[in-house]
Amino acid sequence: MITLTEENYIKTIYQLGRYGTLTVSTNSIAEVLETKASSVTDMVKKLAEKGYANYKRYQGVSLTSKGKKIAADVVRKHRLWEVFLVEKLNFTWDEVHDIAEQLEHIKSEKLINELDKLLDYPTHDPHGDPIPDKFGDIKKTDKILLFNLSESSTGVCVGVKDTSSSFLKYLDKHQIALGSKILVVSREDFDDSMVIEINGSVKMSISQTVANNLFVKEEANT
Amino acid sequence: MITLTEENYIKTIYQLGRYGTLTVSTNSIAEVLETKASSVTDMVKKLAEKGYANYKRYQGVSLTSKGKKIAADVVRKHRLWEVFLVEKLNFTWDEVHDIAEQLEHIKSEKLINELDKLLDYPTHDPHGDPIPDKFGDIKKTDKILLFNLSESSTGVCVGVKDTSSSFLKYLDKHQIALGSKILVVSREDFDDSMVIEINGSVKMSISQTVANNLFVKEEANT
DNA sequence: ATACAAATTTAGATTAATCTAAAAATAGTT
DNA sequence: AACTATTTTTAGATTAATCTAAATTTGTAT
Ligand SMILES: [Mn+2]
Ligand SMILES: [Mn+2]
Ligand SMILES: [Mn+2]
Ligand SMILES: [Mn+2]
């Protein structure tokens, strides 16, 4: 039996450690979960005892394969529910995260498999993040940050790094959505801002911050 | 802020007290929630402090209007989710209750209103229980137990009292569903069993237990 | 090699929810 | 009215998850 709190810690270790590949520090977990480092220490000890994590004092934590499976399951549920909220219940992409934080802990294998079927087996959530399959495997794409796209190159917007409501609403306002085609018209060395053209029509200037939070898939150069 | 546990106690008080009309005993709550009476005493004190319940030592508990609203909301969510599971995710009526026990605690007004819309504003859950509207009001029907239907009277099955999986599967097996027309062919004084005819065709004998757990709406006598 | 700052862990306390065992109140019966 | 069985409450302890403050370890810089 695993508690909701344990699931949240495991998920955080998974995501901070790049889908379970790296070792993660106590402080970084505390920051994400908005708890104190001492609480994290207690919890990772428990996770290690239960076989979900590898932990040596002062050396950080990583997930066991058992822990990775739990984490992938929770992330799968989170992202499938987000798709459901957008596709079936008229939510916008900036409204779904907090509700998915609750729904990701509902326990029923049939529920999640039927939801997957209802949504026609989506591979990505509304923010472009990949949905692990029922074995916990993730199809990883070769997306890069818009910031790393060179002048006069083109990319298709495939995801966001910052999923905060304010950033998502900014994108909505400027008609940038997943699937939008983005051409880097020019770059400004002075402040690292860039001028982009969206879907071959609207031109606008974006800050470094924006460019560093938008994932694109680079298009083959003509 | 209200906890999941508090919600479950409030819901139990609501249901034991006939949708909040009666005062409820400590022991009866303990029995439903499978806890000890001493735990119930502690919790009802807390509920009273928080303004959800009226409580005087040794005199039982009832809900305040604030408590009733919470309870109706939780019951509304529980029953809407049950409809969702059956209508959209291919669950059978004997599979939905435990999952709805989890889903009923998800907090989002928009979520539940959109779910209501998606399901086309259902008035009853898959077991025939009424779904409170968003104001907490319940449309109550004049259903009676099949056991109280007299010989040669006819009723339409509109609900079940026992919602256990074993009873629901028994009904499935014998083709009794919500909407089935049931004629009381004869009654046996000896063991209170009765012979019924379902939808004008199949005849079968049912025990007192079955008759006491099926709600019907009596049809006007010809 | 030492000193220091940052990260991490330990010790001890708190809160929510639960339990057992004992005490108190209530209700039914003579 | 007194006795008794049942119900309910109190007292004290436990577990999960958290916190603060103090102690320890690590890593970096002189
Ligand atoms: Mn999310
Ligand atoms: Mn979560
Ligand atoms: Mn139910
Ligand atoms: Mn519940």
Side-chain angles (χ1 to χ4, degrees), chain A residues 5-181:
Chain A
T5 310
E6 287 165 357
E7 283 189 348
N8 280 336
Y9 274 92
I10 290 170
K11 184 180 73 157
T12 301
I13 297 167
Y14 183 71
Q15 291 181 324
L16 283 174
R18 307 248 180 103
Y19 296 110
T21 54
L22 302 176
T23 284
V24 168
S25 77
T26 301
N27 264 356
S28 62
I29 298 170
E31 196 182 339
V32 171
L33 292 177
E34 297 180 274
T35 57
K36 301 296 170 178
S38 55
S39 306
V40 175
T41 299
D42 284 347
M43 181 56 85
V44 298
K45 276 183 194 165
K46 184 158 60 131
L47 294 179
E49 265 167 31
K50 288 194 171 189
Y52 299 120
N54 310 114
Y55 170 65
K56 280 218 198 78
R57 281 158 77 251
Y58 297 101
Q59 303 307 133
V61 211
S62 63
L63 293 177
T64 62
S65 59
K66 192 173 149 196
K68 273 182 235 174
K69 181 63 170 71
I70 299 282
D73 272 357
V74 172
V75 169
R76 171 172 160 80
K77 287 190 276 182
H78 182 105
R79 293 179 179 167
L80 280 174
W81 279 116
E82 286 189 343
V83 174
F84 171 74
L85 292 172
V86 168
E87 296 294 319
K88 301 294 179 183
L89 297 189
N90 307 306
F91 279 76
T92 52
W93 67 344
D94 60 297
E95 296 176 318
V96 297
H97 182 76
D98 290 347
I99 303 175
E101 280 294 306
Q102 300 177 58
L103 287 163
E104 72 189 8
H105 302 291
I106 303 293
K107 281 163 190 67
S108 164
E109 205 159 317
K110 176 165 184 176
L111 171 58
I112 207 64
N113 288 334
E114 288 291 335
L115 195 62
D116 197 21
K117 190 204 288 181
L118 178 74
L119 301 171
D120 205 17
Y121 310 105
T123 57
H124 294 79
D125 79 6
H127 314 105
D129 292 314
I131 299 174
D133 65 24
K134 62 175 76 167
F135 307 108
D137 294 325
I138 286 184
K139 186 194 305 188
K140 67 174 55 151
T141 51
D142 46 351
K143 66 190 178 186
I144 59 171
L145 289 173
L146 174 53
F147 186 78
N148 297 319
L149 206 57
S150 47
E151 213 167 86
S152 79
S153 290
T154 302
V156 174
C157 178
V158 294
V160 292
K161 190 168 162 196
D162 175 1
T163 58
S164 71
S165 186
S166 60
F167 181 54
L168 298 177
K169 280 178 170 152
Y170 167 90
L171 296 178
D172 285 344
K173 187 163 78 182
H174 298 290
Q175 323 263 16
I176 302 171
L178 298 197
S180 298
K181 185 172 285 194

Side-chain angles (χ1 to χ4, degrees), chain B:
Chain B
M1 227 283 305
I2 191 164
T3 67
L4 181 150
T5 311
E6 287 165 357
E7 283 188 349
N8 280 335
Y9 273 92
I10 290 171
K11 184 181 74 157
T12 301
I13 297 167
Y14 183 72
Q15 290 181 324
L16 283 173
R18 305 249 182 103
Y19 296 110
T21 55
L22 302 176
T23 284
V24 169
S25 76
T26 301
N27 262 357
S28 62
I29 298 170
E31 196 182 340
V32 171
L33 292 177
E34 297 178 278
T35 56
K36 300 296 167 177
S38 55
S39 306
V40 175
T41 300
D42 284 346
M43 181 56 84
V44 297
K45 277 182 194 166
K46 182 156 62 127
L47 294 179
E49 267 166 33
K50 290 196 171 189
Y52 299 120
N54 311 113
Y55 170 65
K56 282 221 196 76
R57 280 157 76 249
Y58 295 101
Q59 302 308 130
V61 211
S62 63
L63 293 178
T64 62
S65 59
K66 192 173 149 195
K68 272 181 234 173
K69 181 64 169 72
I70 298 282
D73 272 357
V74 173
V75 169
R76 171 172 161 77
K77 287 190 276 183
H78 182 106
R79 292 179 181 167
L80 279 174
W81 279 115
E82 286 189 342
V83 175
F84 170 74
L85 293 173
V86 168
E87 295 295 319
K88 302 293 179 184
L89 297 190
N90 307 306
F91 279 75
T92 54
W93 68 344
D94 60 297
E95 295 175 319
V96 297
H97 182 77
D98 291 347
I99 303 175
E101 279 296 307
Q102 300 177 60
L103 287 163
E104 71 188 7
H105 303 291
I106 302 293
K107 281 163 189 69
S108 164
E109 206 160 314
K110 176 165 184 177
L111 171 58
I112 205 65
N113 289 335
E114 288 291 336
L115 195 63
D116 197 20
K117 189 202 290 180
L118 178 73
L119 301 171
D120 206 18
Y121 309 106
T123 57
H124 294 80
D125 80 5
H127 314 106
D129 292 314
I131 299 174
D133 65 25
K134 62 175 76 170
F135 307 107
D137 295 325
I138 285 185
K139 186 193 307 184
K140 67 175 53 150
T141 52
D142 47 350
K143 66 190 179 186
I144 59 171
L145 288 174
L146 174 54
F147 186 78
N148 297 319
L149 206 58
S150 48
E151 213 167 84
S152 80
S153 289
T154 303
V156 174
C157 179
V158 294
V160 291
K161 189 168 163 198
D162 175 2
T163 58
S164 71
S165 185
S166 60
F167 181 53
L168 298 177
K169 280 179 172 153
Y170 167 90
L171 296 177
D172 284 343
K173 186 163 78 181
H174 295 99
Q175 323 264 17
I176 301 171
L178 298 197
S180 297
K181 184 171 287 193
I182 296 175
L183 163 69
V184 179
V185 178
S186 64
R187 307 187 56 131
E188 188 64 62
D189 271 355
F190 167 60
D191 63 356
D192 283 316
S193 69
M194 48 170 75
V195 173
I196 62 175
E197 186 182 87
I198 302 160
N199 286 325
S201 53
V202 190
K203 263 190 202 133
M204 69 178 287
S205 167
I206 61 173
S207 68
Q208 190 207 155
T209 306
V210 170
N212 265 318
N213 280 295
L214 255 190
F215 289 116
V216 294
K217 186 169 178 184
E218 187 165 10
E219 302 238 294
N221 231 331
T222 51

